[in-house]
Structures are given as structure tokens and as C-alpha cells.
Amino acid sequence: MGAAGRSFQIFVKPVGSACNLACRYCYSVEKTIPVSQAKTGRMSDNLLEEYIVRHISASPDEIIRFSWHGGEPTLAGVDFFRKAVEIERRNRPPGRRIVNGMQTNGTLIDEEWGAFLAEAEFSVGLSLDGPEDIHDACRRARDGRPSFREAMHGYEILRRHGVPVDILTVIGAHNVRRPTEVYGFLKSISASFMSFLPLVERSAGSPSGVDSLTVPADAWGEFLCAVFDEWLAGDIGRVKIQIFEEAVRTAFGLEHSLCIFRPECGDIPAVERNGDVYSCDHFMNEEHRLGNILVTPLAELIDGPAQRTFGRAKLERLPRPCRTCEVRDMCNGECPRNRFVPDPAGGPDLNYLCPGYKRFFIHCRPFVEAVAAEWRRGRGER
């Protein structure tokens, strides 16, 4: 089995979409699955080993990265991940590193989890939408109980064990008008890595095409600008915010690390608990099912014509206004899943979030250009 022809990241779902929470905005197709079924629906030990071996074989990079997602991956149990790490170590090629990341809601993290994640050198993305009243507006357990305190307890355990944590904050109608509170709260808990994720959920019955929880596009831009101004005033070097990091990459002529801002996509497929591979975590339907790792080598699925076509479509169907946009290099039309606003000129659908992104990227451009100028001076360039 040969390596893939390009770098890739895979979102692997050891329990599929099973979760102990029932967040109001969850896009999971299995949000109603009983928690009691999660472990019986877990990826089998045999498949886990096959997946890890095939992932290692397909990776062309010196550092081999595993990204564990869900649903809620901690439902698989800490012993499942101990086994995963043991398989990784046993199959690690000489001279190469293996690193692991996990996305979690944090509510099931206990001391055992904290000790394991630290020892195994995992990095963790933990979901917090802001202070307690904001977080609990949408992120609740299946019986309606709030989840903030349990999530914060998990976060504190991770910090105490020295596990690197990136706070992921969903920005929707419930918190977009409160940027100062959201950002202030994240700083108050000593979060040094933050990612803001705009909530966009389609609704066929709505005149706007989105549901009531979706972030208004203009407000999304206002939120980013407000946080950026506060960050610029006193947090440079202390706090890293993913979208700001992505904007600054253009100052150095670097490719975006975040798929939504690259000209083409397709290098972040998802693997389900049964081994099925899909083009993307947001396109997990039969149309975008590439195959199964037990049938087809992973490298062939990643490099295959279906996935290449999926990735190129982002650029080929780039909306007309994007092609001449002054901040195209920062955005590249963002994620295709958000392109559903009809173009009055009859071209490909426009991105729902475009007004917000454009406002923010124009707002931060002077800073990015100053960074670029300073960098060129340091290199002796004009």
C-alpha cells in the first residue's frame, strides 16, 4: 500500500455521531441516538487496527497526524484510545512522529482521561460558547441539563495535567452580539488558543434560507472585527486566534492551514466507525461516500477521481464576485457548504457568510500589510 500523493488530515469518528449532549445546533444525523448504544456502535478493535495501519501507510509526511472526532469521541472510552496509541507506536515507521488530536465537549473528561491524554501527548479541542448563560443556551444534555459546569470541570482537569487545549466557540445568534463578553470570558479562563466557528444551518421554510440559530452574516463580521480590535490592542503574542492566524499567513505568502480558506479542498475526509470514507465531515451522505478502507486502500480514496473532483469543484464554482474580490487571497470563497445564496447574475451560488468575512478581512488588512512590510524589511526586500 503506497502513500497518498498529498498531505491529508482525517476526521475519524470512533463512535460515529453518538453524543451525550443534544446541542440545539448540532448538524449530526444521529443526534437522537441513545447514549446507551454508543459503545455497541463503537469502531471495532479489528477495524481500529486496520484503520491506523492504513492511515500510517497512506501518510506522506514526516509527522503522521490522527484527528479523533464525533459525535463525542470520549464515549469510546479511555481504554479504546490506549489501544489506539499502542497500535500507533507498534506501527510507527522509524524516524517519523505520530501525533494525536481530539475534539470533545469536555463533559466526560475526568482525572483518568487527563492523565492519559497528557501521557500520550494529545492536543484537545474543547467546545465552549462563552460564559455560563451563553454556553448553556444551546449546549445541553439530552434531559435538558446544562453542560457548562461539566465542560469547565473537564477543561480544568486538562489544564492541570498540562494538555494543550484549543477552545472552539460556535458563534450563532445566541452569542454573536456579545463579542466582548465571549472573548473576555475566554481570556479569563486563560485560553491561549481560540477558534471561532460560524453557525450556519439551512432551513427550507425560512425566507432567508437559514434557521433562527444561524449567525447573521453582517453580525459575524462585526463580531470578528470587535474581537480583533481588542486582540490587537493588548493580546498579540499572548492569545492565538485561528482566523487571525490564517489572515496573517497571507503576509508571508503561505498556504492556508484551514481548509475553508484554501482555493481547493478535499484533503480532509472523514472516516466513519464502520470504515466508510466520506469527502468531508460536512458532506457525509451517500453522494459523497468514497468507499470503505477495508475494500480500497486509503491512499486511493484520497487521491481518487471522486475526491479530486470534489476538491476542484470549490475553485471551479467560485462565485463571480469572489474572482475579483480584494480579499480573495484571505477567503477564496470559504466553505462550499455555505454557498447557497442565489447569484442575481445567474452565476454559481454566493456564500451566505460573504458580507461578514469581507468586512473582517478588509478591516484586518492594514495590519496584515504592515506585518508583510516588516517581514520584507527583515529580509532586505523593498
Side-chain angles (χ1 to χ4, degrees), residues 204-247:
S206 168
S208 64
V210 296
D211 67 13
S212 61
L213 294 175
T214 291
V215 63
D218 288 333
W220 168 236
E222 293 167 4
F223 177 93
L224 292 175
C225 289
V227 174
F228 178 81
D229 288 345
E230 186 171 340
W231 173 82
L232 189 62
D235 296 324
I236 296 177
R238 297 194 310 111
V239 176
K240 289 190 175 183
I241 299 176
Q242 186 181 50
I243 189 170
F244 301 170
E245 297 277 308
E246 290 296 320

Side-chain angles (χ1 to χ4, degrees), residues 12-16 38-52 66-69 72-88 100 102 112-113 116-117 120 122 271-274:
V12 57
K13 299 168 173 285
V15 294
K39 291 198 174 181
T40 59
R42 189 185 70 186
M43 180 180 283
S44 71
D45 291 348
N46 289 339
L47 181 55
L48 174 65
E49 180 143 14
E50 285 290 335
Y51 164 65
I52 291 173
F66 286 86
S67 301
W68 305 93
H69 279 243
E72 176 49 45
T74 58
L75 285 172
V78 70
D79 285 340
F80 175 89
F81 286 96
R82 286 194 180 100
K83 186 171 298 180
V85 169
E86 187 277 323
I87 296 169
E88 291 172 358
N100 287 276
M102 174 186 290
E112 183 180 18
W113 269 111
F116 163 73
L117 293 169
F122 271 61
V271 174
E272 257 290 359
R273 58 189 169 193
N274 66 350

Side-chain angles (χ1 to χ4, degrees), residues 258-276:
L258 193 58
C259 64
I260 62 173
F261 296 137
R262 295 178 196 152
E264 297 186 6
C265 58
D267 57 356
I268 307 185
V271 174
E272 257 290 359
R273 58 189 169 193
N274 66 350
D276 282 347

Side-chain angles (χ1 to χ4, degrees), residues 50 153 227 248 274 287 307 337 341 370 382:
E50 285 290 335
H153 180 64
V227 174
V248 171
N274 66 350
E287 179 185 354
Q307 188 66 351
R337 74 180 291 266
V341 178
R382 293 185 178 182

Side-chain angles (χ1 to χ4, degrees), residues 4-71:
R6 56 176 167 169
S7 299
F8 62 83
Q9 179 184 4
I10 291 177
F11 287 175
V12 57
K13 299 168 173 285
V15 294
S17 300
C19 189
N20 61 316
L21 298 186
C23 300
R24 291 175 61 196
Y25 50 60
C26 180
Y27 61 84
S28 166
V29 295
E30 292 184 34
K31 63 192 299 183
T32 59
I33 190 171
V35 176
S36 60
Q37 293 182 14
K39 291 198 174 181
T40 59
R42 189 185 70 186
M43 180 180 283
S44 71
D45 291 348
N46 289 339
L47 181 55
L48 174 65
E49 180 143 14
E50 285 290 335
Y51 164 65
I52 291 173
V53 169
R54 292 168 187 250
H55 183 123
I56 291 173
S57 176
S59 177
D61 302 318
E62 180 181 343
I63 300 177
I64 304 168
R65 303 180 187 278
F66 286 86
S67 301
W68 305 93
H69 279 243

Side-chain angles (χ1 to χ4, degrees), residues 21-25 105 107 127-153 169-170 174-175 178 182 185 213:
L21 298 186
C23 300
R24 291 175 61 196
Y25 50 60
N105 58 43
T107 61
S127 297
L128 285 171
D129 282 1
E132 189 167 2
D133 65 312
I134 293 178
H135 178 91
D136 286 338
C138 292
R139 302 187 64 82
R140 291 180 173 264
R142 296 175 180 280
D143 60 4
R145 288 181 298 107
S147 68
F148 176 81
R149 295 188 180 183
E150 292 176 334
M152 281 301 301
H153 180 64
T169 302
V170 173
H174 63 301
N175 59 0
R178 300 166 69 177
V182 171
F185 164 74
L213 294 175

